[in-house]
Amino acid sequence: MLNSVIQITLFMVALALALNLWRLCIGPSLPDRILALDTMYINSIAVLVLFGMHERNSLYFEAALLVAVMGFVGTVALSKYLLRGDIIE
């Protein structure tokens, strides 16, 4: 039962990733693209956690943690560049 629920959820998150990629490619403005990229980070974390549950391997959870940290740093850097034009002051 749990395996079928995980597979359905993986499909739904993969669909969300595809829609985020679409928004990233044709977003009307730069903040929309940054938001789509941030949402893609969150969805990729969900994919890693679900795949780790499916495979019963804790290595995927560590990878999800790394993606979360790098996603946060990337989003902050892009937002700061968008506001000020310079990342490092």
Side-chain angles (χ1 to χ4, degrees):
M1 178 77 178
L2 184 62
N3 285 333
S4 61
V5 170
I6 289 175
Q7 289 176 356
I8 292 169
T9 309
L10 275 171
F11 173 74
M12 293 170 68
V13 173
L15 180 65
L17 270 169
L19 291 172
N20 286 328
L21 182 65
W22 178 66
R23 175 55 65 191
L24 183 67
C25 292
I26 66 162
S29 65
L30 193 56
D32 289 332
R33 290 184 173 135
I34 292 173
L35 183 62
L37 187 64
D38 187 50
T39 309
M40 285 181 74
Y41 287 134
I42 293 169
N43 287 338
S44 65
I45 292 167
V47 166
L48 284 171
V49 168
L50 286 169
F51 197 67
M53 288 172 59
H54 180 68
E55 293 293 319
R56 298 180 192 265
N57 192 352
S58 65
L59 186 64
Y60 294 104
F61 299 115
E62 294 175 14
L65 184 62
L66 288 174
V67 169
V69 169
M70 295 305 292
F72 175 73
V73 170
T75 302
V76 168
L78 284 172
S79 299
K80 189 172 179 182
Y81 177 75
L82 182 65
L83 287 175
R84 296 188 183 151
D86 190 19
I87 297 173
I88 300 172
E89 294 177 351

